[in-house]
Amino acid sequence: MSAIRGQNTSPELQVRRALHARGFRYALHKSDLPGKPDLALRKYGAVIFVHGCFWHKHDCSAFKMPTERREFWEKKICGNAARDAVTAEKLRQAGWRVATVWECSIRGKNRRGIEEVSNLLVKWLLNDTASIEIQEKARD
Ligand SMILES: [Zn+2]
């Protein structure tokens, strides 16, 4: 829903900038990879998705299923989430490690902020864990 506003400070761009500043280089939206990951770092065998919580149905404080046209939205958003799962599985089978950065980790009331998010990403890039999900701080 926020895709139109603030392109320049979108969570995806913040992630790109933070990693670039730390010397990481990546390819964007590679069309030969399942799901065209937002960032692909071949050297680290890793791809990174930056997902909006609404469109990708994140179970978090930022997500709320619309009450208007509920059936339409449920179908649409659940379809996106199901496709994300298939995409991640295809990538893993092709030998890629998969990171998902949720929008709520970067903006919103329970955010970690881009500094902490990029720290977590860098740590993950440098180890060999298969996947990581970065999301908002735990709620009480
Ligand atoms: Zn979220």
Side-chain angles (χ1 to χ4, degrees):
M1 276 177 144
S2 55
I4 298 152
R5 177 178 54 91
Q7 275 295 340
N8 289 332
T9 54
S10 70
E12 183 189 333
L13 205 50
Q14 290 189 52
V15 167
R16 282 198 224 164
R17 280 184 184 148
L19 290 181
H20 195 272
R22 287 162 171 247
F24 290 89
R25 297 297 178 261
Y26 40 76
L28 299 175
H29 310 290
K30 271 185 83 63
S31 55
D32 59 340
L33 290 180
K36 294 184 200 165
D38 295 317
L39 288 76
L41 298 92
R42 184 168 293 282
K43 186 173 165 188
Y44 301 91
V47 298
I48 300 172
F49 289 96
V50 183
H51 278 343
C53 298
F54 177 72
W55 294 107
H56 296 269
K57 197 173 188 286
H58 188 212
D59 179 19
C60 73
S61 65
F63 180 83
K64 200 163 144 271
M65 189 64 82
T67 49
E68 297 279 314
R69 304 179 71 208
R70 194 178 178 100
E71 212 171 305
F72 166 82
W73 285 113
E74 268 177 5
K75 206 172 152 190
K76 170 137 190 100
I77 294 167
C78 292
N80 289 345
R83 200 172 56 232
D84 290 340
V86 171
T87 296
E89 189 50 38
K90 281 186 189 161
L91 284 161
R92 280 192 284 269
Q93 280 175 13
W96 290 91
R97 303 154 63 218
V98 181
T100 306
V101 177
W102 291 99
E103 184 180 13
C104 57
S105 70
I106 295 175
R107 56 160 71 137
K109 59 176 163 39
N110 297 326
R111 68 181 176 274
R112 297 174 181 280
I114 189 62
E115 275 302 311
E116 186 181 335
V117 168
S118 57
N119 286 343
L120 291 168
L121 274 176
V122 167
K123 212 163 119 192
W124 175 76
L125 284 167
L126 299 176
N127 70 30
D128 56 7
T129 313
S131 62
I132 185 175
E133 279 200 51
I134 300 175
Q135 57 183 341
E136 67 182 358
K137 289 183 206 159
R139 289 154 272 162
D140 298 326

